[in-house]
Amino acid sequence: MKNPVCSVAIVGGGPAGLSAAIRAAETGLSHVLLEAESHLSNTIHRFQKGKYVMSEPVKLPLRSSLAFEAGSRESILDAWTSEAVRLEVNVRRNSPVKSIAGEDTGNFSVELADGTTVSAANVILALGLQGQPNKLGVKGEDLGFVDYHLDDPDDFNNKVVVVIGAGDSAIETALALAEQNRVIIVNRRDGFHRAAAGNRNAMLEAIADDRLECFYNSVPRFIEEQDGRARLVLEASGETSEILCDRIIARLGARHPRAFLESCGITFSGDETTALPMLNSQYQSTVQGLYVIGSLAGYPLIKQALNQGYEVIEQIRGKPVSPVEEELLLDKFTGVPGFATVDEILTKVGGMGPIFGSIDALPLRAILLESRILSPAPGTAIFCHGDYSDSFYSILCGEILIQLRENEPELIVRLNASEFFGDTELISGRRRTLTAIAGENCILIETPRLAIKKLSASNQTVAETLEIAAVERSLRWHLIPGLTENDFKTLEDRVTCHNYETGEILFQEQAYGDSIFFLRSGAVTVTQTMDGREVPYRLVTAGDYVGGWGALAVSVRRATACAQAVTSTVEIPGEDFRWLVQQYPELLRNVHSNILTHHVGKTEAAQQNGEVISFLMEQGLGEATDVLLIDESICIRCDNCEKACANTHSGTSRLNREAGPTFASVHVPTSCRHCVQPHCMNDCPPNAIHRASSGEVFIQDTCIGCGNCVQNCPYGVIHLTSDKDENKPSLWARLLFGFDEAAVGGTGSGCHKKAVKCDMCKDLSGGPACVSACPTGAAFRGNPKDILVELKEEASCTDQY
Amino acid sequence: MYGSILSYGQYRYLKQAAALVLIALLLYLSSSPGEAPNGGTWQGYTLGGISAALILFLLWFGIRKRQYHCTETTLFRWVSAHVYLGISLPVVVTLHCGFQFGWNVHTLAYGLMVFVVLSGFYGLYAYLVYPEALTANRCGISRREMITTIARLDDTCLALAENLGAEAHHKVLREVVETRLGGTLWQQIIMGASLPVLPLFQWKFAGNFVASEQAGLNVKDQSAEYFLRRYLQESQNKVEIQRVVELLKVLNERQFMVSRVQRDIRYHAFMKCWLLLHVPISCALLAAVMVHVISVFFYW
Ligand SMILES: Cc1cc2nc3c(=O)[nH]c(=O)nc-3n(C[C@H](O)[C@H](O)[C@H](O)COP(=O)(O)OP(=O)(O)OC[C@H]3O[C@@H](n4cnc5c(N)ncnc54)[C@H](O)[C@@H]3O)c2cc1C
Ligand code: HEM
Ligand code: SF4
Ligand code: SF4
C-alpha cells in the first residue's frame, strides 16, 4: 500500500524541524514530522536537568511560530510540546529515518527503520549533528540498563557502572562517573590508542591509581537481567567472565549524519570533517526539493534553527521571505555607497577576488554577518607591530600601507582593492609583525580569525590562495624585506611548504642538510646531544627560522630541530639561500648574529636546564603564549594564588595549584596557557571565546554553557560553573581563623552554568592576581620564550662557578 | 625567578630597616645625658610615634593580603618589607622605652610584641626551609598518588597475610586499620615523627646510637613486623619463609610511604601553625598598645 503524498516530510524534531512542522500545521500545509526518539528535541532533552538555555545571538530577531526565550530546559520543552499538540502537528515518534529515495521535487520516498515508507513532495532534513549512536550489537542491547550516552554524571552515585568503548567519549564518561561510582571500562583492544593524548594519559593514570578498573581485549557477548541488576557476560582474552552492575553505558561512536546526507545525493563542500552540505540561500541542497537546516546545515544555535524552519516552509508554500539575517547584513553596509541591496552586496563582495569570489551565496552571507565593515580615516593604524589582534582584512576599496619593519617606517608595501592582509597572524596565531595603515577612501571588511579558518578548511580555493600569499609574504615581507619581484620569481618555484605534527623532526643532528626553514606557524625546539643526552637549548616560534648554520656552513647539521606544536614551514634550499645571502647582505648579518646568540657551551648546567625545557615542552609550552609556573622550592602552599583568583573572579578559582606535574621543583599548575591557536575556540556555537589585543584568551558573557570548549581544551583548564553567592566571611573571621577557602572549578551550584577560565586578569591594571598575591614570589607568569631565556641565563650564571 | 623574601629588590627593605634603626639610635643617643632616656622626652615621643606607625603598618599587611584586586604591588614585596620592618620594631621600641620595664600594661605590650616578633622569626624560618624539604619529600608525585599507593599496598599485605594464618592476618589488619594520616593540627605535627621534630635540632640526635634505640622502641611486641620476625625465626617451611619475607618487604614499603605522607602533612602544618599565634597575638598587641597610649596621655 502506498501512503498518500504529503507536501513536506520533516526529518528530526529538534528546534529546526519542529519550527518547520509548526509553521506547516499553522498554514495548513500537509506534512509529517518524523522523530527518531519517543520525545521531541532530543538534543535539548539531553541537556542537564534545569539547564538554563540561552537565546544567543541576542541581536538576531526570532522569526518562527514557535516562541523561544531564554529559560530553563524544562519550560522550553514543555511549551514546545504543548504548542505542537495545540496546532495538531502530525508527529510520528519513534520513527528513525533510514533512507530517502528520489531525485526531484514531488517524488521522495522516505523509508523508516521499521520498513514503512512515507511519500513527500519535499523533504526537510533537520537531524542535528548528534548522529545515531552505534549499538552494541549483542542480545540485550536495548534493555533498560543500557544507555548510549551520559547526560549528567551526578545522576549516578555509589553505583556499579560498566562503560564500553575506548574512544574519547568513553574515557570522558568513565572518568566523570568514577568520581562517585565504581566504574569498569570494557575495552576491545589492549590500549587506548584511538583517544586523544590527554584523555589517554588521564585514563591510564586513573587505572594505575585504582580509581577505575579496566578489562582489556574484552568483547561483550550478551546482557540479561538478574535480580533487578544487569549481568554483562563478556569474553576477556579468550575466557568468559561476567560483571554484575547497575548500568551499562556504551560509547561506541555514532554514525555521522554526513554519510546519511550523501546517501540522499547531497554534495558537500569538501572532504574535511568541517565541510558543510552545499546549500543555496534558501537552504535547498544540491537535490531539488531536499532542504537542510539547523545545526546540520552549520548553524549551531537554537534561534537560527527556529528561523530556518519557518523560512523553508514559506519557501515551499511559494511565499518566500528573505532570511532575517539579511536585514542585519544591510545594517552592516549602511552608509557604504553602492551597497544598498543584499544582491548588490553579495555580487560586489563575491566579485572581489579569490577569497570571497570562491564561496557560494549562503556561506558568503554567513561570513559577512560575522564580519565588520570599517571605513578608517586616512592615516589610522588598523593594527600595529606587536598587537595581539588576529582578524583578517579584505580591502573593499581604497589603499592600505603595510610597514614591514617597526624601526624602518620607509619600508612600505602598498595594497589595493580586492587584496587582503592580516593573514600571517591568522596562520601563526602570534603577535602582529607588521603595521597596517589606512590610505585614502579606504573601506575594509574585518573578518574574525575563526570564520576565515573555517572557510579555508572547507574551501580548497581559499586555502590555496592563502598558501600562495603566505609563501610570497614569508619571503618578501618577513625574511628578506626588500626582496625584488624578480628575485622572488626565481625563488618561487624552488621553495617548498611543509606541515609537521608535534614531535616530528625537521632535521637531525649529524645528518647532511643545508636548507633553512622559515616558520609560518607553530614552534620548534633546537636540541644538541651532550654525553648521549638530547639537550634542548632554544625555542623557535613563528616568524623566525631554523637551519641557518647548516645552510651557510654546508656541512652536517649541528643540532636537531623538532616540532613542539603543529608547525608549518617554508623551506629554502641551501644553494638558493647562499645566493640570497650574497644579494642581501643584511640577511647574512642576521643569520650570523642568530648563530652567535644561541651558541651554547656543553656544560652540566646546560644539561640540567635542557631537561627542564624538555619537561616544559611536554606540558604544552610549545604552543603557549603565556603560562603560569610555580617554583616549588619556595612555594609555601598557602593557596593564596587560588584565593586571589577566586576573589577576583566571582568566587571560583580558575587555577588549580596542586594539580599538574612537577619536575625539578618547576611546577606547572592546571591553568590556561593562552595557546597560540586556542583549541577551546574551535567549536564554540556563539563564538564567545576571543583573544584580547594584549593576548589573553577569554570567554565572553554570551557563552551558552554547552561545554564544547571544556572538551576541546587539552589542558583541562575550563570549567562549567555558576557564579557563587558573594557571602564572604567577615574580615575578622578570615584574618583570625583563615576562613577564606578558594573553590577550584565547577563547584558553583545552580543551573545557569557558563564556561569559565583564566583571563589573565586582563581588567586589572597590575596584571594577574595569582602572581601578585604570592607572598614568596614562587608564582610567575610569562611567555615561554622568555622563560627559557631566563632559565638559560640562570644556567650560565651557575656555569661561572 | 625573583629571588627570596630576604633578597627582594637587592635587599631594599634590609637597607631601609637598617636606616630606620640607625635613625632611632641617633635619636636615642641625642637625648640629654643628664636625664635617663625614656618615653617622656621629645625623643621618646618621636620613637614611640615611629613604633606605633610601624605596628600599624605591620598589621595592615593582614588586610593588604586580602585585597586581591590590588595587583600593582606584589604581596611578595609586602612580605619582604614586613619582615625587615618587623625585625627593626623591637629595636625601636626598646629604645623608645629606654630599657624601663615593670609589671604593668606597658611591659605587657612589650612582651606581646616580642612574642609576635619571635613567632614571625619562626614563620620566616619555616617559609625558607620547608618548601624545599616538602618538594624533595614529594619527589614529583602528589599526596593523592601516595595515598592510593598505600591503599594498594594495604590490599597486597592483607592478601599475603591471609596465607599465613589468622593471627598474622589479624596483626597486619590492625596495622592497616590503625594507620592514621592527618587529624588535628597537633596530630598532624607529631604523627610518625621521631622527636624532636624540628630538623633544626635533629642533628644533635643523629647517629647510630639514637637511631637504634628508637628502632628498639618502635618494634613493640604488638607490631606486625615483630610478630613476623619471630615467625621467621620459628618457621622451617621454605614456602612460608618466602611468603613472610615478601610480606615484610611490602610492609616496609608501605611504612615508607606512610611516613612520607605523614612528613608531607607535617611540613604543611609547620608552615601554617605559627600564623595561628602570630595573627591573634598581633591583635592583642594592638589592644595593649592602645591601652598603653591612652594611659600614657591621660594618667601619666
Ligand atoms: C550541552 C549543550 C548546550 C547547548 N546550549 C544551548 C543554548 O543555551 N542556546 C542555544 O541556542 N543553543 C544551545 N546548544 C545548541 C543547540 O542544542 C543546537 O543548536 C540545536 O539543538 C540544534 O537544533 P537542530 O534542530 O538542528 O538539531 P537537534 O536539536 O539535534 O535535533 C535533531 C533531532 O533529530 C532527531 N533525529 C536524528 N536522527 C534522526 C533520524 N535518522 N530520523 C529521525 N529523527 C532523527 C533527533 O532525535 C533530534 O530530536 C547547546 C548544545 C549543547 C550540546
Ligand atoms: C609586631 C610585629 C608584627 C606584627 C604586628 C605582625 C603582623 C602580621 C600580620 C597581621 C600578618 C598577616 C597574617 C595573615 O593574615 O595571614 C603577618 C604575617 C606574617 N608576618 Fe608578621 N607581624 C609582625 C612581625 C613580624 C616579624 C618580625 C616577622 C619576621 C621576622 C614577621 C613575618 C611574617 C610573615 C612571614 C607573615 C606571613 C606572610 C604570609 O603568609 O602571607 N612578622 N604578620
Ligand atoms: S583554555 Fe585550553 S585550549 Fe584554550 S587557550 Fe587555554 S589552554 Fe589553550
Ligand atoms: S561552553 Fe565554551 S564552547 Fe560552549 S558556549 Fe561557552 S565558551 Fe563557548
Side-chain angles (χ1 to χ4, degrees):
Chain A
M1 193 196 85
K2 197 130 176 85
N3 280 317
V5 178
C6 57
S7 303
V8 57
I10 302 157
V11 186
L18 188 59
S19 169
I22 293 257
R23 183 63 186 162
E26 193 178 52
T27 57
L29 190 71
S30 64
H31 67 279
V32 58
L33 174 61
L34 304 165
E35 166 58 52
E37 302 292 328
S38 58
H39 46 255
L40 291 172
S41 289
N42 191 36
T43 302
I44 299 179
H45 191 89
R46 283 175 45 189
F47 288 179
Q48 192 199 16
K49 276 188 215 79
K51 177 185 186 304
Y52 188 80
V53 179
M54 284 157 254
S55 59
E56 290 296 324
V58 177
K59 263 198 280 171
L60 183 70
L62 177 70
R63 189 202 272 153
S64 166
S65 306
L66 208 50
F68 174 54
E69 262 176 31
S72 76
R73 156 191 176 273
E74 287 73 14
S75 65
I76 288 170
L77 286 178
D78 287 350
W80 286 0
T81 315
S82 49
E83 192 64 2
V85 172
R86 190 178 71 82
L87 290 169
E88 295 176 11
V89 173
N90 179 21
V91 192
R92 284 179 66 172
R93 296 186 164 82
N94 297 314
S95 308
V97 170
K98 231 173 80 187
S99 66
I100 297 174
E103 272 117 53
D104 217 338
T105 318
N107 65 352
F108 291 105
S109 153
V110 181
E111 193 196 343
L112 306 183
D114 62 7
T116 55
T117 58
V118 172
S119 305
N122 298 281
V123 177
I124 300 177
L125 296 169
L127 313 170
L129 275 178
Q130 300 200 317
Q132 294 293 100
N134 294 328
K135 298 265 175 117
L136 277 166
V138 298
K139 197 180 117 232
E141 62 172 15
D142 284 325
L143 282 177
F145 306 108
V146 189
D147 272 333
Y148 292 92
H149 53 82
L150 171 71
D151 295 338
D152 188 354
D154 292 338
D155 291 346
F156 296 86
N157 200 349
N158 272 326
K159 293 272 186 304
V160 181
V161 187
V162 173
V163 177
I164 304 179
D168 287 309
S169 50
I171 293 182
E172 282 154 14
T173 303
L175 290 176
L177 286 171
E179 308 241 317
Q180 317 183 21
N181 302 278
R182 180 172 160 223
V183 175
I184 301 152
I185 187 162
V186 172
N187 180 354
R188 190 178 282 273
R189 290 162 224 272
D190 59 357
F192 293 89
H193 314 295
R194 257 191 319 129
N199 272 334
R200 183 166 60 228
N201 294 340
M203 189 69 197
L204 296 178
E205 213 170 277
I207 295 175
D209 286 0
D210 289 336
R211 270 179 286 142
L212 47 77
E213 296 153 62
C214 180
F215 276 66
Y216 290 106
N217 299 315
S218 303
V219 189
R221 284 292 166 234
F222 63 89
I223 302 161
E224 60 181 22
E225 191 190 327
Q226 183 178 327
D227 309 330
R229 302 181 83 196
R231 175 167 167 256
L232 167 69
V233 174
L234 35 87
E235 211 168 281
S237 317
E239 281 172 36
T240 307
S241 52
E242 58 172 72
I243 307 172
L244 208 58
C245 60
D246 301 301
R247 177 75 62 164
I248 297 171
I249 301 180
R251 304 302 307 261
L252 307 168
R255 204 168 81 105
H256 189 78
R258 174 170 180 161
F260 177 72
L261 294 202
E262 283 177 331
S263 76
C264 304
I266 296 174
T267 320
F268 273 69
S269 61
D271 293 332
E272 308 76 12
T273 47
T274 48
L276 293 171
M278 284 175 52
L279 305 174
N280 72 6
S281 61
Q282 305 294 337
Y283 311 102
Q284 182 161 239
S285 71
T286 44
V287 181
Q288 270 256 313
L290 257 188
Y291 297 82
V292 184
I293 55 173
S295 52
L296 189 56
Y299 297 85
L301 292 167
I302 295 171
K303 210 194 271 177
Q304 297 165 324
L306 291 170
N307 288 352
Q308 290 165 1
Y310 179 95
E311 284 157 13
V312 169
I313 292 294
E314 295 304 279
Q315 168 78 11
I316 292 173
R317 289 173 62 220
K319 305 207 155 84
V321 286
S322 67
V324 246
E325 280 93 348
E326 298 197 339
E327 291 163 24
L328 299 179
L329 189 60
L330 282 174
D331 272 358
K332 288 197 186 262
F333 280 87
T334 39
V336 184
F339 290 81
T341 66
V342 172
D343 264 351
E344 256 177 0
I345 295 174
L346 293 184
T347 34
K348 283 198 182 157
V349 177
M352 231 180 81
I355 300 278
F356 290 130
S358 64
I359 358 179
D360 298 332
L362 193 61
L364 179 57
R365 193 180 74 198
I367 246 191
L368 287 179
L369 276 173
E370 290 188 51
S371 306
R372 287 200 307 165
I373 310 300
L374 309 176
S375 6
T380 317
I382 310 298
F383 54 73
C384 294
H385 191 102
D387 281 1
Y388 236 130
S389 64
D390 54 7
S391 315
F392 177 86
Y393 298 86
S394 314
I395 309 175
L396 205 52
C397 59
E399 189 188 45
I400 281 286
L401 313 178
I402 303 279
Q403 273 177 8
L404 300 185
R405 286 280 190 266
E406 201 181 7
N407 43 10
E408 291 171 69
E410 329 71 54
L411 205 57
I412 274 180
V413 174
R414 286 166 193 278
L415 298 178
N416 293 307
S418 300
E419 292 190 278
F420 54 85
F421 60 98
D423 54 324
T424 315
E425 295 76 20
L426 180 77
I427 299 169
S428 74
R430 303 256 168 201
R431 289 173 190 277
R432 296 284 185 196
T433 46
L434 308 161
T435 298
I437 296 168
E440 295 292 329
N441 302 323
C442 173
I443 299 181
L444 304 172
I445 306 178
E446 177 186 355
T447 315
R449 161 185 174 273
L450 212 61
I452 286 287
K453 286 210 92 152
K454 280 192 181 148
L455 179 66
S456 74
S458 63
N459 185 314
Q460 198 59 34
T461 322
V462 173
E464 275 164 17
T465 311
L466 288 176
E467 182 88 4
I468 292 170
V471 172
E472 175 166 2
R473 292 176 178 183
S474 295
L475 297 177
R476 301 189 61 190
W477 290 12
H478 298 287
L479 190 60
I480 322 154
L483 180 67
T484 62
E485 178 92 37
N486 262 342
D487 286 350
F488 172 69
K489 285 268 173 293
T490 347
L491 268 181
E492 197 177 6
D493 300 326
R494 307 268 306 154
V495 301
T496 44
C497 294
H498 290 286
N499 290 315
Y500 297 87
E501 292 299 317
T502 310
E504 244 186 286
I505 302 281
L506 279 69
F507 54 78
Q508 187 94 43
E509 192 174 348
Q510 297 304 325
Y512 182 79
D514 67 348
S515 44
I516 84 148
F517 298 78
F518 179 81
L519 265 62
R520 288 164 49 205
S521 71
V524 163
T525 46
V526 183
T527 48
Q528 276 187 347
T529 318
M530 297 183 193
D531 302 334
R533 274 190 296 173
E534 297 251 311
V535 179
Y537 65 92
R538 190 178 155 214
L539 181 68
V540 182
T541 54
D544 209 344
Y545 56 87
V546 279
W549 167 269
L552 292 188
V554 205
S555 75
V556 293
R557 296 283 186 192
R558 208 170 52 140
T560 302
C562 176
Q564 295 301 330
V566 176
T567 299
S568 52
T569 63
V570 177
E571 183 180 344
I572 308 173
E575 53 179 312
D576 298 287
F577 187 68
R578 289 187 290 277
W579 168 77
L580 269 177
V581 163
Q582 279 170 6
Q583 311 290 314
Y584 300 89
E586 198 210 341
L587 181 61
L588 182 64
R589 251 174 285 152
N590 191 328
V591 177
H592 271 160
S593 72
N594 209 332
I595 291 175
L596 284 181
T597 337
H598 296 293
H599 176 77
V600 276
K602 303 201 171 199
T603 61
E604 186 61 25
Q607 277 192 15
Q608 272 174 9
N609 216 348
E611 283 170 13
V612 175
I613 297 178
S614 300
F615 161 74
L616 291 177
M617 288 304 132
E618 277 163 32
Q619 302 311 318
L621 261 68
E623 62 167 345
T625 62
D626 195 283
V627 67
L628 176 66
L629 297 180
I630 292 182
D631 182 347
E632 288 216 321
S633 65
I634 50 176
C635 164
I636 54 165
R637 278 63 164 184
C638 63
D639 282 335
N640 214 33
C641 45
E642 279 184 12
K643 288 175 197 157
C645 185
N647 268 280
T648 47
H649 295 90
S650 352
T652 307
S653 170
R654 284 96 214 271
L655 90 102
N656 186 339
R657 181 200 49 86
E658 175 96 65
T662 307
F663 179 82
S665 79
V666 180
H667 178 63
V668 189
T670 304
S671 168
C672 179
R673 284 120 163 91
H674 301 272
C675 302
V676 180
Q677 309 272 4
H679 310 273
C680 51
M681 283 186 191
N682 287 345
D683 216 358
C684 172
N687 261 336
I689 311 183
H690 300 275
R691 166 160 256 145
S693 61
S694 35
E696 306 88 350
V697 176
F698 66 98
I699 305 183
Q700 265 179 351
D701 219 33
T702 53
C703 163
I704 57 170
C706 70
N708 286 355
C709 54
V710 179
Q711 308 272 325
N712 285 339
C713 167
Y715 306 108
V717 307
I718 307 187
H719 304 281
L720 287 178
T721 180
S722 39
D723 289 355
K724 295 240 288 285
D725 310 340
E726 296 274 316
N727 239 340
K728 282 190 198 159
S730 72
L731 178 69
W732 286 110
R734 296 194 284 144
L735 200 65
L736 289 176
F737 311 109
F739 282 157
D740 37 5
E741 289 306 301
V744 181
T747 44
S749 55
C751 299
H752 197 153
K753 286 196 177 175
K754 292 197 176 205
V756 298
K757 67 179 277 299
C758 158
D759 60 357
M760 266 207 284
C761 299
K762 65 183 174 55
D763 301 324
L764 297 183
S765 52
C770 50
V771 171
S772 66
C774 175
T776 60
F780 50 91
R781 257 199 173 282
N783 169 325
K785 246 180 136 164
D786 299 342
I787 290 175
L788 297 201
V789 168
E790 206 147 323
L791 277 173
K792 226 171 97 176
E793 273 165 13
E794 273 178 22
S796 52
C797 292
T798 351
D799 281 354
Q800 293 165 359
Y801 300 112
Chain B
M1 289 216 175
Y2 306 127
S4 81
I5 295 178
L6 294 180
S7 65
Y8 179 89
Q10 285 158 338
Y11 298 93
R12 179 190 306 172
Y13 294 105
L14 170 63
K15 291 173 196 160
Q16 290 187 8
L20 189 69
V21 168
L22 200 71
I23 292 172
L25 261 176
L26 291 178
L27 269 175
Y28 178 78
L29 295 176
S30 75
S31 53
S32 34
E35 80 194 280
N38 66 30
T41 62
W42 73 265
Q43 289 94 338
Y45 275 116
T46 315
L47 285 169
I50 295 178
S51 309
L54 269 178
I55 288 178
L56 290 180
F57 173 82
L58 293 168
L59 276 167
W60 178 253
F61 176 70
I63 293 171
R64 172 59 187 81
K65 192 176 165 187
R66 288 164 182 80
Q67 292 174 331
Y68 297 110
H69 284 273
C70 306
T71 57
E72 258 95 15
T73 52
T74 61
L75 200 68
F76 178 37
R77 180 170 165 186
W78 274 86
V79 174
S80 187
H82 181 88
V83 164
Y84 280 119
L85 294 177
I87 295 173
S88 69
L89 180 69
V91 182
V92 180
V93 171
T94 311
L95 296 176
H96 159 68
C97 73
F99 301 93
Q100 296 181 349
F101 302 105
W103 292 108
N104 52 29
V105 66
H106 316 294
T107 306
L108 170 70
Y110 188 91
L112 288 172
M113 177 211 63
V114 170
F115 192 92
V116 175
V117 170
L118 288 180
S119 66
F121 265 111
Y122 168 77
L124 178 64
Y125 167 78
Y127 282 10
L128 293 178
V129 166
Y130 291 116
E132 209 149 353
L134 200 134
T135 311
N137 184 48
R138 280 274 175 98
C139 254
I141 60 174
S142 68
R143 189 191 287 174
R144 183 179 164 158
E145 284 168 305
M146 293 197 260
I147 291 176
T148 39
T149 311
I150 295 176
R152 208 180 50 227
L153 293 172
D154 283 351
D155 290 347
T156 324
C157 298
L158 288 171
L160 284 170
E162 230 160 39
N163 297 325
L164 295 171
E167 196 177 355
H169 187 254
H170 178 73
K171 294 256 183 225
V172 172
L173 185 66
R174 236 182 62 180
E175 191 133 322
V176 165
V177 173
E178 284 182 355
T179 301
R180 287 274 177 278
L181 300 172
T184 61
L185 187 65
W186 180 239
Q187 284 168 334
Q188 290 182 23
I189 290 178
I190 59 160
M191 198 78 71
S194 51
L195 288 168
V197 285
L198 294 181
L200 183 66
F201 302 118
Q202 218 153 37
W203 59 270
K204 276 193 186 167
F205 296 86
N208 288 336
F209 170 67
V210 176
S212 64
E213 197 169 76
Q214 273 176 0
L217 277 175
N218 280 343
V219 187
K220 295 214 191 77
D221 296 358
Q222 298 297 321
S223 85
E225 187 174 344
Y226 180 77
F227 175 82
L228 289 171
R229 290 209 181 282
R230 238 187 37 214
Y231 198 105
L232 211 54
Q233 282 162 5
E234 288 163 12
S235 178
Q236 306 290 321
N237 184 333
K238 265 208 171 133
V239 182
E240 234 165 38
I241 290 181
Q242 205 169 354
R243 278 190 191 144
V244 174
V245 169
E246 174 70 20
L247 177 54
L248 276 169
K249 215 180 86 198
V250 180
L251 271 176
N252 237 324
E253 208 178 311
R254 181 182 171 283
Q255 188 49 47
F256 173 71
M257 258 307 156
V258 168
S259 16
R260 243 172 95 181
V261 173
Q262 283 169 336
R263 216 173 302 143
D264 191 68
I265 294 173
R266 190 174 336 126
Y267 290 160
H268 273 96
F270 280 156
M271 288 191 292
K272 295 224 165 73
C273 62
W274 68 281
L275 274 175
L276 295 178
L277 292 177
H278 192 73
V279 184
I281 295 180
S282 305
C283 296
L285 168 65
L286 178 67
V289 168
M290 277 177 354
V291 173
H292 158 71
V293 171
I294 291 169
S295 64
V296 164
F297 277 109
F298 289 94
Y299 304 106
W300 202 248

